[in-house]
Amino acid sequence: MTINWKHTIVVLLDIVIAAYLLLAVTAFNRPDDKATVCTEVNIHIDDNQSGLLSAAEVKRLLQRQKLYPLAQPMQFVSTRQMEEALLKNPYVESVQCYKTQNGHIVVRLQQRQPVLHVMPTNDTQYYVDVHGVILPHTHLSGHLLVATGTMERRYAQQRLVPIANFILGDEFWRSQTEQLNVLPDGTLELVPRVGSHIIYLGAPVGIAKKLERLRKFYKYGLSHAGWDRYERINVEFDNQIVCKKRPKKNKS
């Protein structure tokens, strides 16, 4: 077989030129870290409902660790160190820091979502997030379910968090529930927003069924009898609701 050397050389030259152009374009579009400084820091807090952290606070956290990258050469910016520093904050659930081709640093942060403000009689107050993680107390704006009474932190994490998640995930009970109170024997009371009665839930189990039974009582019973007729409503036992009437005021 005769080899067409002229054709082969032309093909090889085409391949070499194409490879050169590809490398040249890639190198042209890729910023040189040594010649680039950080011109902007973009801080994004995803699903920012809890208000535990703000972009300004994230900036201060990085500045205190001397890791805020603005005006720093990109080659000296360690996004990994930035992530590690931010993850030490108890309110941060996850964080991703990365560089962009135009000399920007992006910080994308997911903060923890507290569901309970625990104010126990035997401990300092604290928050518990949706996963049961204990968070130190700080000032928070917005509605959080309050838990009071004597309780260990494990009780709040294991018993109260599933109840809080259920209540806050239900539009009706989220707007109706003000407080959970833990009694000395570990049973629960619920303090509603509307009405001056107390709801006794009993043991912290089967809460969804108990509250559904109470919802029906609200709709078909209490709405007709009056919201202030009873001082205590007991939904502890299946298939029944026990109500204690409010004492009548003596006429003067």
Side-chain angles (χ1 to χ4, degrees):
M1 182 179 64
T2 303
I3 298 176
N4 188 338
W5 291 104
K6 183 177 180 180
H7 176 72
T8 302
I9 292 172
V10 170
V11 171
L12 289 174
L13 285 175
D14 288 342
I15 293 173
V16 171
I17 292 172
Y20 171 78
L21 290 174
L22 178 62
L23 290 173
V25 170
T26 303
F28 178 79
N29 287 330
R30 181 182 301 163
D32 183 1
D33 275 0
K34 296 181 180 180
T36 306
V37 297
C38 175
T39 58
E40 188 173 325
V41 181
N42 297 311
I43 299 173
H44 304 279
I45 301 178
D46 296 339
D47 194 22
N48 190 11
Q49 297 179 0
S50 68
L52 288 169
L53 287 171
S54 64
E57 179 61 22
V58 172
K59 177 180 177 180
R60 287 192 291 270
L61 288 171
L62 291 172
Q63 288 175 329
R64 284 198 290 267
Q65 298 297 320
K66 302 187 184 305
L67 292 173
Y68 192 65
L70 188 63
Q72 299 299 315
M74 294 291 274
Q75 63 173 329
F76 297 134
V77 174
S78 173
T79 53
R80 181 176 179 179
Q81 288 183 348
M82 292 171 61
E83 290 173 349
E84 291 174 348
L86 292 173
L87 283 172
K88 291 179 181 178
N89 187 283
Y91 304 129
V92 176
E93 182 170 352
S94 63
V95 63
Q96 182 184 16
C97 303
Y98 57 90
K99 303 176 183 180
T100 67
Q101 292 185 346
N102 55 357
H104 294 181
I105 297 292
V106 177
V107 178
R108 188 168 294 279
L109 183 145
Q110 179 73 45
Q111 64 181 332
R112 296 193 177 276
Q113 298 297 323
V115 293
L116 274 177
H117 181 188
V118 184
M119 305 173 66
T121 57
N122 61 324
D123 198 353
T124 57
Q125 56 182 314
Y126 54 90
Y127 300 116
V128 190
D129 83 345
V130 65
H131 304 298
V133 176
I134 299 291
L135 306 175
H137 179 257
T138 184
H139 176 70
L140 276 183
S141 58
H143 173 65
L144 270 186
L145 193 60
V146 174
T148 57
T150 301
M151 76 196 84
E152 300 300 326
R153 294 193 172 197
R154 182 174 295 181
Y155 181 97
Q157 293 172 293
Q158 297 180 354
R159 295 294 190 177
L160 296 186
V161 167
I163 297 172
N165 286 337
F166 172 79
I167 289 174
L168 296 177
D170 184 283
E171 183 178 356
F172 176 80
W173 290 115
R174 183 172 63 250
S175 61
Q176 173 66 357
T177 306
E178 177 74 24
Q179 177 182 341
L180 293 172
N181 184 51
V182 182
L183 299 176
D185 62 355
T187 58
L188 285 177
E189 293 175 334
L190 184 149
V191 181
R193 287 181 174 273
V194 179
S196 56
H197 53 274
I198 299 295
I199 301 158
Y200 182 67
L201 297 172
V205 294
I207 298 300
K209 291 183 178 179
K210 293 175 182 178
L211 290 182
E212 180 57 29
R213 192 159 65 249
L214 179 61
R215 188 203 302 263
K216 292 178 180 178
F217 177 69
Y218 275 173
K219 183 176 181 180
Y220 300 110
L222 207 60
S223 60
H224 300 290
W227 286 86
D228 295 324
R229 183 174 182 179
Y230 303 110
E231 66 176 7
R232 191 172 182 84
I233 300 174
N234 186 333
V235 295
E236 176 184 13
F237 302 109
D238 291 340
N239 302 319
Q240 63 175 309
I241 295 178
V242 180
C243 300
K244 181 181 179 181
K245 289 185 178 181
R246 188 173 305 282
K248 293 182 178 180
K249 295 181 179 180
N250 295 326
K251 295 183 179 180
S252 56

